[in-house]
Amino acid sequence: MKGFFVGGALLLLLAWTGLASAHTPLCACYDNGDGTVTCEGGFSDGSSAAGVEMRVEDKAGNVLEKGKMNELSEFVFKKPDGDYKIVFYAGPGHDIVIDGKDVSE
């Protein structure tokens, strides 16, 4: 019985450690009203998104623009004509896709 509790406690500790080190990506984009869009990113643990890959893709998935978040965790691009989406890609399981229709001033 004692081994069961020790094993359970170890599993809980491992699960808690995994949760404590996890960080969720965050990204929001705004229409600047001047033909450009600014995206701001980061992680739920407060870490910067500087250097995170950003892509702007058309409806078919063609890359219209590609870059990285700057030192302020921002990415600015010219707003494309037509439907588009913005991809914040910080690695597998750490990506966010924002539909251009959801970008407002």
Side-chain angles (χ1 to χ4, degrees), residues 37 55-65 77-87 97-103:
V37 174
R55 294 189 312 269
V56 181
E57 300 177 355
D58 66 11
K59 188 176 177 181
N62 299 311
V63 177
L64 303 173
E65 190 163 335
F77 62 93
K78 182 181 175 205
K79 184 178 175 181
D81 294 327
D83 294 336
Y84 69 97
K85 62 184 174 183
I86 304 150
V87 180
V97 178
I98 299 173
D99 192 311
K101 293 176 186 171
D102 296 330
V103 176

Side-chain angles (χ1 to χ4, degrees), residues 25-76:
L26 306 167
C27 185
C29 298
Y30 310 95
D31 186 331
N32 295 318
D34 63 357
T36 64
V37 174
T38 298
C39 296
E40 299 174 337
F43 295 92
S44 60
D45 65 356
S47 60
S48 170
V52 168
E53 179 182 313
M54 297 292 293
R55 294 189 312 269
V56 181
E57 300 177 355
D58 66 11
K59 188 176 177 181
N62 299 311
V63 177
L64 303 173
E65 190 163 335
K66 186 175 180 179
K68 294 184 177 187
M69 289 275 182
N70 66 17
E71 66 278 353
L72 300 175
S73 296
E74 294 180 343
F75 177 69
V76 181

